[in-house]
Amino acid sequence: MKRILLPLLLLLFLSSVLAIGQGRPGKGPGATGRIYGKVLDDQKKPVEYAIVKVLEVQKTPEGKLEEKLIQGALTASNGDFSVDKVPIGVPLLVTIELIGFESKKVNAQLSPTSFPVEKDMGNIVLSAGELKPAVIIEGERPSVRLEFDRRVFDVDKNPMNAGGTGEDVLRNIPSVQVDIDGNVSLRNAAPQIFVDGRPTTLTLDQIPADAIQRVELITNPGSKYDASGGGGGIINIIMKHDRSNGYNGSVRAGVDKRGRANGGGDFSFREGKFNFFINGNYNRRKNLTNGETERFDLTTEPTTFLLQQQNTNNQGYFANGRAGVDWFWDNRNTLTLSQSFTAGQFNPLDNLETTTDSSENVNDFPLSFYYRTSETNRQFRNFGSSLQYKHLFTKEGTELTADINVNAISSDFIGDYGNYYDNGFTSIQRQIGGARQQLYTAQTDYVSRISEKYRFEAGLRGSLRDFQSIYENKNLIGDEFVVIPSLNVNYHFIDQVYAAYSNIARDGEKWKTQFGLRIESSDYRGELLDTTVTFRNTFPLSIFPSAYITKVINEKQDIQFAVNRRINRPSFMQLIPFTDYSDSLNVTRGNPSLRPEFTYNTELSYQYTLSSKSVFIGALYYRITTNSTVRYLFNEYSPVLDNEIVVSTYANADFSSASGLELVFKTSLTKWLEMTANFNLYNSTIDGSNISDNLTNSVNTFWVKSNFIAKLPKNFTAQANFDYTSRRALEVGSGERAGSMGGGGGGGFGGGGGGWGGTNNTVQGYIEPVYGLDLSLRKDFLKNKNLTVTLSMSDVLRSRITVTHAESAFFIQESFRRRDPQLWRIQLAWKFGKMDATLFKRKVMRSNAEGMEG
């Protein structure tokens, strides 16, 4: 299969390159502003040595407009010019002058929503009598804003993020929730994580917060994006990039209260047609988690009481790096080749004590006691290669992009589990294995501005994932470990998805619309390596429409309606009928009859921009999902454990729905104090009566977030974040575990002796309210504020505790978990850079000399 797919992916990439005829290759993602174009005379011949100046148009206190020189350049022999380090979101005036030609002035403005942030001025013709007056556009972009299909949050200057990871950044983003284990939800559903507009193989804790420029929430993705992911939408993380002439970079280092250090840096150097870049990060971690579970078994007479206490110490590190080169063949063609590497190792040490007692026990000691220790070692590596190409046509807003990405991912695991009982019996188990994965993706996108109001987009995408997992479970018998074949988890699958899409958009003065259609074909094949069992889930053709309709009320207000269709395909572990005994109190099994979920999302949003520092966003959203994947429990006898057990598996409920109201408000309370507030109220309902009569539930909850940033004297900046989530129900089939507190990553299949539950019984309950406070203080040094020191503390009140109450006809359970309270860290960051202006100066002198001779 790979021999067939790889040439197809390569053909997809090359066809997009060849589609532009004589175009030259190139690509360069960047967040710094750039303006470029070509200057021609009235005979359409290139004009060399024309002086290009970019000026910022500012309003004086008296209300007059004045022009301030920002940057300048001279055109090359082919007429090309490029000006870097141009301010974003402010009105600009571009002037072109050369002796013998009529000067020309063109207005411009860089939009921070484009990626990279740059503007093609097209072909500018110099000839007599064509002096074009500038049209001034006033105003700046707010740091929180609603764009056409997304919400944008600028986070690069957020003090709380210093020294943290992507998890810390998303905790401060409205609409997003991150639990104590780093699991992310967007409007109560799991989103896809993108980096720079593409799906990523990195986890959030592998992305350094200091490298993030902004975060985009795409709650209703259009047809350009993968249809997979259900109703959670997309969180797109935009990284910092710099492609300015000369060299630029930064270094950072920090330490937390447990003595765990982190460090990193990035460096870029541009000279002529080449931009070289390299960045790397290293982060040591030590996470401490503790918890407790109390459970009453109602099926026994008398009632049995179980108490579990768990403490986990997880130490390790992760490191990543990326290096590459941008080749600027000319102003309109760029090629980028990059290589990335990610590695890490973690060693969790877990202790679990289990005590069982009875309501009628009159002795001073419990009925039984069980103690388990686990020590594991986990390592992972990810090698990634990327080839990206971009061609910009002379017609503004028309471009062609293509990219190929290859990732080779591997992980290795070994864990020893000791089980000790009060009757003197001891058992030692070992799990050993690993996984190997190859991921290939290729994509090409074409955008054309048909006219001043209409835009057309189309693209193709292909992806293949080849995954193999080998895990062995062993028991210590005598002096050697003996394999238990019935507990091995060995499987292999290949997942392929191919897609084509198109969009047509109209950008009118009062109405803005976009209609899109995406077609996907997917094929999912897997096998259990120790058996002859195979699985296949194929959808030859699935159609996913999308639409956006925006009504512009005035310059400050607009309202938008969006709708789309999405899919959430079941994973391999949800499909295979393999019984996993790694935790005897949470035995799981897949369902090969499981079908994909299809979700219909609708949203009505409103934005009111009072000023560049004050904005209000409100939204009503609703989504309905058919074939919702839920968990449910049933009883059966297990020959492995020689006992009646409860098995947790998956099934398709008839439907589920979610609706809510979301409010976001950011403003400057004073000149030195900014506030961002977020309120979300939602209801979630599920109907699984086709599986079981009691498999229904309705959830109502709300949460609030507030973020205050104070700019203090002496270059100090303080920040405070507070969040509160009300009591919320355990959603039916949500995967909230009501069994044991966990198996420390596995093991324990010999202890515990079964679980609780009943046929077709689903656990229901609630999670207690939780709140938290984070604080930070930053000090800027040096004249240009390039040196910063930041002190921050998370969970200042030690209040982020997950307390869960679960009930069924067979048990009542209370549990709590806490992770890393009052964790402080101190971070140092230094930015440096120098723009190379010597070439510009030499050309200015030469141009002036030639002008004098004329």
Side-chain angles (χ1 to χ4, degrees):
M1 178 61 67
K2 284 189 287 185
R3 289 197 298 266
I4 299 175
L5 179 70
L6 290 178
L8 289 176
L9 295 179
L10 184 59
L11 180 62
L12 175 63
F13 177 81
L14 293 177
S15 64
S16 62
V17 175
L18 296 176
I20 64 166
Q22 299 299 318
R24 304 292 174 85
K27 159 75 183 170
T32 57
R34 181 170 79 104
I35 285 180
Y36 58 94
K38 182 186 288 287
V39 178
L40 306 174
D41 60 19
D42 49 12
Q43 302 298 319
K44 305 302 181 183
K45 295 181 180 180
V47 175
E48 187 177 9
Y49 300 131
I51 300 174
V52 180
K53 292 185 290 184
V54 178
L55 304 100
E56 179 180 353
V57 181
Q58 299 176 335
K59 183 176 290 188
T60 66
E62 294 78 19
K64 297 181 179 180
L65 297 179
E66 64 179 12
E67 301 168 358
K68 176 184 177 183
L69 179 63
I70 301 299
Q71 297 288 347
L74 288 132
T75 57
S77 58
N78 62 355
D80 284 352
F81 68 88
S82 177
V83 183
D84 296 308
K85 292 188 177 297
V86 177
I88 301 172
V90 300
L92 303 171
L93 184 65
V94 181
T95 67
I96 302 95
E97 301 173 346
L98 185 63
I99 295 176
F101 291 89
E102 194 76 51
S103 300
K104 196 151 195 175
K105 297 181 180 181
V106 184
N107 66 287
Q109 184 168 356
L110 292 179
S111 170
T113 60
S114 62
F115 183 76
V117 183
E118 56 189 23
K119 183 176 182 62
D120 187 352
M121 302 299 295
N123 293 335
I124 301 175
V125 179
L126 294 184
S127 58
E130 291 195 10
L131 181 63
K132 183 178 179 179
V135 179
I136 306 302
I137 304 175
E138 299 188 36
E140 298 180 0
R141 294 274 184 169
S143 59
V144 176
R145 55 194 178 273
L146 176 66
E147 301 296 346
F148 187 74
D149 63 346
R150 67 197 64 199
R151 300 181 184 188
V152 182
F153 302 88
D154 295 326
V155 299
D156 60 317
K157 297 180 181 180
N158 193 326
M160 193 68 69
N161 299 335
T165 66
E167 294 179 7
D168 302 295
V169 173
L170 293 187
R171 280 194 178 96
N172 300 322
I173 299 296
S175 308
V176 179
Q177 289 183 299
V178 183
D179 66 17
I180 62 175
D181 296 313
N183 299 312
V184 180
S185 62
L186 176 59
R187 292 179 174 174
N188 203 40
Q192 287 185 293
I193 304 298
F194 280 29
V195 172
D196 289 339
R198 292 288 188 266
T200 180
T201 57
L202 299 175
T203 60
L204 286 174
D205 60 356
Q206 296 170 1
I207 302 175
D210 300 287
I212 298 176
Q213 177 75 23
R214 67 178 185 269
V215 175
E216 300 175 345
L217 304 185
I218 309 174
T219 54
N220 278 274
S223 61
K224 181 178 180 179
Y225 300 98
D226 290 348
S228 59
I234 294 172
I235 297 179
N236 187 26
I237 298 175
I238 303 299
M239 309 299 288
K240 297 177 181 178
H241 303 277
D242 200 329
R243 289 163 32 194
S244 304
N245 285 321
Y247 65 87
N248 296 273
S250 66
V251 292
R252 48 192 174 270
V255 65
D256 63 22
K257 77 172 186 178
R258 300 191 179 117
R260 300 298 162 177
N262 70 84
D266 52 80
F267 179 79
S268 65
F269 173 75
R270 179 173 177 179
E271 176 66 29
K273 295 181 179 294
F274 295 94
N275 177 62
F276 302 92
F277 58 88
I278 184 171
N279 59 67
N281 298 277
Y282 179 82
N283 198 324
R284 294 203 63 87
R285 304 291 291 272
K286 181 179 181 180
N287 301 117
L288 302 180
T289 306
N290 64 85
E292 183 175 285
T293 296
E294 297 179 350
R295 187 167 188 167
F296 292 90
D297 182 5
L298 305 180
T299 63
T300 61
E301 185 62 39
T303 301
T304 303
F305 169 77
L306 178 141
L307 174 66
Q308 286 186 335
Q309 295 176 311
Q310 184 179 29
N311 292 282
T312 302
N313 184 336
N314 187 11
Q315 300 190 46
Y317 76 91
F318 67 82
N320 59 61
R322 182 172 178 261
V325 58
D326 300 313
W327 180 23
F328 304 96
W329 183 277
D330 55 33
N331 276 346
R332 296 191 173 93
N333 293 279
T334 317
L335 188 72
T336 296
L337 177 64
S338 63
Q339 177 70 45
S340 64
F341 172 71
T342 302
Q345 175 177 308
F346 289 90
N347 304 96
L349 178 63
D350 184 79
N351 295 305
L352 179 67
E353 297 180 359
T354 303
T355 302
T356 304
D357 208 343
S358 169
S359 59
E360 295 185 0
N361 183 17
V362 297
N363 299 319
D364 295 332
F365 51 88
L367 294 179
S368 65
F369 177 78
Y370 160 66
Y371 178 71
R372 185 179 74 199
T373 63
S374 65
E375 186 172 359
T376 59
N377 178 277
R378 308 166 188 229
Q379 301 181 30
F380 60 88
R381 293 163 299 281
N382 183 346
F383 292 89
S385 299
S386 176
L387 180 64
Q388 300 172 313
Y389 169 71
K390 186 173 186 178
H391 172 76
L392 299 170
F393 294 85
T394 55
K395 187 177 182 180
E396 183 178 1
T398 302
E399 66 180 40
L400 177 72
T401 62
D403 59 81
I404 288 181
N405 299 276
V406 179
N407 287 87
I409 306 169
S410 63
S411 61
D412 296 285
F413 171 87
I414 182 171
D416 289 333
Y417 306 88
N419 308 286
Y420 309 94
Y421 301 85
D422 56 359
N423 61 6
F425 176 74
T426 299
S427 68
I428 306 295
Q429 290 105 29
R430 171 171 290 178
Q431 288 185 342
I432 185 170
R436 302 293 182 267
Q437 179 179 186
Q438 292 81 43
L439 183 62
Y440 309 91
T441 62
Q443 181 165 336
T444 180
D445 301 284
Y446 174 75
V447 181
S448 175
R449 185 169 292 279
I450 302 174
S451 64
E452 184 177 343
K453 292 185 177 182
Y454 286 92
R455 185 183 75 254
F456 173 76
E457 296 179 84
L460 301 171
R461 188 176 192 272
S463 68
L464 180 146
R465 180 173 51 154
D466 189 333
F467 187 94
Q468 180 169 318
S469 174
I470 303 292
Y471 273 86
E472 288 186 338
N473 291 276
K474 303 179 179 181
N475 259 342
L476 181 63
I477 301 177
D479 296 331
E480 62 179 275
F481 285 95
V482 179
V483 175
I484 308 174
S486 61
L487 298 179
N488 290 344
V489 187
N490 303 323
Y491 60 91
H492 171 250
F493 69 82
I494 295 179
D495 182 15
Q496 302 176 73
V497 179
Y498 302 96
Y501 78 91
S502 64
N503 287 325
I504 185 71
R506 182 182 185 276
D507 188 9
E509 183 177 349
K510 292 296 184 180
W511 290 93
K512 303 177 187 295
T513 58
Q514 177 178 295
F515 300 95
L517 186 67
R518 185 178 185 90
I519 301 176
E520 288 191 355
S521 175
S522 62
D523 184 73
Y524 197 108
R525 307 184 187 194
E527 60 179 334
L528 293 176
L529 300 178
D530 297 327
T531 69
T532 59
V533 179
T534 61
F535 308 93
R536 184 174 182 181
N537 194 329
T538 302
F539 280 83
L541 198 65
S542 299
I543 298 176
F544 303 95
S546 64
Y548 298 88
I549 302 175
T550 300
K551 174 65 170 70
V552 180
I553 301 174
N554 52 45
E555 293 181 354
K556 296 185 177 182
Q557 301 179 78
D558 57 63
I559 187 170
Q560 182 184 86
F561 176 76
V563 61
N564 69 12
R565 184 176 189 250
R566 307 271 288 165
I567 187 174
N568 191 24
R569 302 177 180 91
S571 68
F572 187 79
M573 294 304 293
Q574 290 177 319
L575 291 171
I576 61 173
F578 171 80
T579 305
D580 182 5
Y581 293 96
S582 60
D583 181 357
S584 63
L585 300 186
N586 189 44
V587 178
T588 61
R589 181 185 301 161
N591 177 6
S593 301
L594 204 61
R595 302 185 301 276
E597 300 176 336
F598 287 93
T599 301
Y600 299 85
N601 298 283
T602 59
E603 179 177 352
L604 182 65
S605 56
Y606 168 78
Q607 176 177 245
Y608 182 25
T609 304
L610 290 82
S611 66
S612 63
K613 296 183 179 180
S614 297
V615 61
F616 169 79
I617 300 174
L620 291 170
Y621 58 90
Y622 176 78
R623 64 175 179 265
I624 184 169
T625 301
T626 59
N627 298 331
S628 299
T629 300
V630 300
R631 283 183 179 268
Y632 80 102
L633 311 175
F634 65 90
N635 273 357
E636 72 173 21
Y637 172 79
S638 169
V640 175
L641 298 177
D642 190 25
N643 202 344
E644 283 287 327
I645 64 171
V646 175
V647 178
S648 175
T649 188
Y650 304 90
N652 290 114
D654 280 340
F655 76 91
S656 64
S657 64
S659 58
L661 168 67
E662 184 176 72
L663 306 175
V664 179
F665 180 58
K666 179 173 183 179
T667 187
S668 293
L669 300 177
T670 66
K671 292 183 178 180
W672 54 271
L673 181 61
E674 295 182 357
M675 179 197 72
T676 302
N678 173 221
F679 173 80
N680 198 308
L681 171 67
Y682 71 88
N683 169 271
S684 180
T685 301
I686 191 166
D687 183 357
S689 55
N690 61 306
I691 303 171
S692 175
D693 291 339
N694 65 344
L695 194 56
T696 58
N697 201 5
S698 183
V699 181
N700 291 286
T701 191
F702 72 90
W703 78 79
V704 294
K705 280 185 179 182
S706 59
N707 179 6
F708 294 88
I709 298 179
K711 298 180 180 179
L712 307 176
K714 305 295 184 181
N715 291 331
F716 279 97
T717 302
Q719 181 177 0
N721 294 328
F722 178 81
D723 60 85
Y724 174 86
T725 302
S726 69
R727 174 186 285 192
R728 60 193 189 277
L730 278 177
E731 295 185 51
V732 176
S734 67
E736 299 280 1
R737 284 176 50 167
S740 69
M741 293 173 53
F749 47 81
W756 299 268
T759 302
N760 289 340
N761 173 65
T762 300
V763 176
Q764 299 193 44
Y766 57 84
I767 300 175
E768 292 285 3
V770 61
Y771 62 93
L773 175 67
D774 304 321
L775 298 175
S776 69
L777 182 67
R778 185 183 72 193
K779 166 70 173 176
D780 297 327
F781 296 90
L782 304 182
K783 183 178 180 179
N784 52 11
K785 300 182 181 180
N786 278 359
L787 179 65
T788 64
V789 177
T790 305
L791 176 65
S792 62
M793 175 180 285
S794 59
D795 195 12
V796 175
L797 305 177
R798 297 178 60 89
S799 57
R800 289 199 176 104
I801 304 172
T802 302
V803 180
T804 304
H805 177 86
E807 291 186 14
S808 75
F810 307 96
F811 65 83
I812 300 174
Q813 176 177 296
E814 294 275 357
S815 64
F816 88 88
R817 292 182 67 245
R818 170 190 279 152
R819 175 184 173 186
D820 297 330
Q822 294 182 337
L823 181 65
W824 60 260
R825 59 175 174 258
I826 187 169
Q827 192 76 9
L828 176 70
W830 175 51
K831 298 179 182 179
F832 59 89
K834 181 179 180 181
M835 183 176 179
D836 184 6
T838 56
L839 185 61
F840 174 70
K841 292 179 179 178
R842 289 196 299 269
K843 288 186 175 181
V844 169
M845 294 177 63
R846 178 179 175 184
S847 177
N848 290 340
E850 292 181 353
M852 290 175 65
E853 292 175 358

